[in-house]
Amino acid sequence: MQARSALFDLYGDHLRARGGRAPVAALVRLLAPLGIAPPAVRTAVSRMVRQGWLDPCRLTSGPGYSITPKAARRLDEAAARIYRTGRITWDGRFDLLVLEAPLSRRDRQRLAANLTFLGYGALDECTWVATRAGEDVDVLLDEAGVRYERFTAAHTAGTPGAMGVVRRAWDLAEIGQAYEQFVAEQRPLLAGVTVRSLDEEAYAARFRLVHAWRTFLFRDPQLPPALLPERWPGTAAASFFDRHAARLRPAADRYVEQCLDSGNRIARQKGR
C-alpha cells in the first residue's frame, strides 16, 4: 500500500466527514497500523500539496493539512461510487470523446488513468466512451491541455449494439474475475476480526478492505444492469463489501477518534 494512495483513502473514508483536515501527527498515527512509516507519510503529503490535493493549515493541535476543493470533489465522487449511494440509470446514450492524444507516453498513461476513474473505456487510443457523462471530464481535459470533441451517441441497434460497444471498451470477464478474487482474498482476512479484536485491528482490516475495493474505481465503470452479463460477480462482491465495511465501522471510528483526540490532548497539556 503506497502512502499517497492510503492518504486518499484516509481523507475520503474518515477525515472528509470530520472537516477534511487533520494534524500531521494524527496522519502518521493513523497510517502506522498499515505499515507505512512516518517519512513516507510526510513525503506523500508534500507531493499531494504540490499536486493541489492538500493545503497546509494550522490546527489547535499543531500543523496539519486540509483537503482542497479539487480533492473534495474527487473524494465525494469516489465515496458515491464506493458505497453506491446513487442509483445507476441509463437513457440508452453514450458520452463519446474523440481526443488528440498527448505526445508523451507518461502523459497518455496519466490521462488514461484519469478517464478510467471517471468511468470511460477506450475504443482505441483516441476514442473513449462512457454510459454516463463524467462531471469533471471537461475540466480534466482542459487542465491536461488536450484538444477534444465530445458527442452524445446512441447505437442504432439498441441494447444489443450497445452491449457490443461495452465489450469493446471493457474486458468484463477480467473485471468479473477480479471481483471473485477480491472476495476470495478478503474473506479469510476478515474472518479473523471479531468483536473481541482490538479497535486498531478492526480499523486496519477495514482500511485494507476499502483500499482493495477502491481499486475497482479504476477498473469497473459501474455499467447499468442492462449492459452487464447475467450473474455479474460484482453484485455479490458489493454485498460482501457492504456487510463487512458496516460491521467494522464502529470500531474503526473509535480508533480514528482516539488518534485525533490524542493530538488534541497533547496540545492542551502544552498550553497549560
Side-chain angles (χ1 to χ4, degrees):
M1 189 182 300
Q2 298 296 316
R4 179 177 176 275
S5 180
L7 281 167
F8 271 110
D9 290 345
L10 177 61
Y11 274 96
D13 208 39
H14 293 290
L15 301 180
R16 176 76 173 103
R18 293 172 170 83
R21 58 180 186 253
V24 178
L27 297 178
V28 170
R29 283 192 295 271
L30 286 164
L31 294 190
L34 305 164
I36 300 175
V41 176
R42 295 189 175 93
T43 299
V45 165
S46 297
R47 183 182 175 195
M48 291 174 71
V49 169
R50 292 195 303 272
Q51 294 173 338
W53 299 111
L54 294 176
D55 277 335
C57 63
R58 191 73 191 179
L59 304 172
T60 56
S61 54
Y65 291 88
S66 62
I67 57 174
T68 62
K70 167 186 170 180
R73 289 194 303 272
R74 176 60 68 91
L75 293 176
D76 288 347
E77 180 178 349
R81 291 174 61 192
I82 289 170
Y83 296 102
R84 296 168 306 286
T85 56
R87 184 167 173 263
I88 297 177
T89 59
W90 188 51
D91 62 359
R93 298 176 181 272
F94 290 102
D95 194 45
L96 191 66
L97 303 174
V98 179
L99 314 179
E100 185 177 289
L103 295 178
S104 80
R105 182 169 178 267
R106 182 178 180 183
D107 287 344
R108 289 197 302 272
Q109 289 175 335
R110 183 184 299 114
L111 179 62
N114 284 325
L115 286 172
T116 301
F117 177 85
L118 294 179
Y120 288 82
L123 295 176
D124 57 45
E125 190 176 64
C126 298
T127 310
W128 292 74
V129 66
T131 55
R132 61 183 181 279
E135 292 183 6
D136 291 337
V137 69
D138 292 312
V139 174
L140 166 68
L141 295 173
D142 289 340
E143 288 181 350
V146 175
R147 297 177 61 183
Y148 66 98
E149 294 182 272
R150 189 173 181 184
F151 306 90
T152 297
H155 204 293
T156 56
T159 299
M163 292 177 72
V165 172
V166 163
R167 280 153 180 74
R168 284 179 57 197
W170 293 278
D171 187 343
L172 296 185
E174 187 274 334
I175 296 172
Q177 289 172 0
Y179 275 124
E180 292 172 344
Q181 183 177 356
F182 165 81
V183 174
E185 291 177 350
Q186 290 293 322
R187 179 174 282 122
L189 300 176
L190 295 170
V193 184
T194 68
V195 292
R196 294 184 295 275
S197 300
L198 297 175
D199 286 349
E200 180 179 342
E201 294 174 321
Y203 162 81
R206 189 183 188 280
F207 201 108
R208 292 189 176 95
L209 173 72
V210 174
H211 185 78
W213 186 248
R214 181 177 175 270
T215 63
F216 286 101
L217 298 183
F218 295 90
R219 307 176 76 170
D220 182 4
Q222 295 188 353
L223 298 168
L227 299 180
L228 289 172
E230 293 184 11
R231 296 183 293 278
W232 175 237
T235 303
S239 297
F240 174 89
F241 169 79
D242 289 342
R243 183 169 66 257
H244 288 286
R247 176 175 71 86
L248 299 175
R249 170 66 89 174
D253 283 343
R254 287 194 299 269
Y255 184 75
V256 171
E257 293 297 339
Q258 174 189 329
C259 290
L260 294 174
D261 290 344
S262 176
N264 292 330
R265 286 197 301 272
I266 293 173
R268 286 195 296 267
Q269 290 170 359
K270 288 181 178 179
R272 290 175 183 171

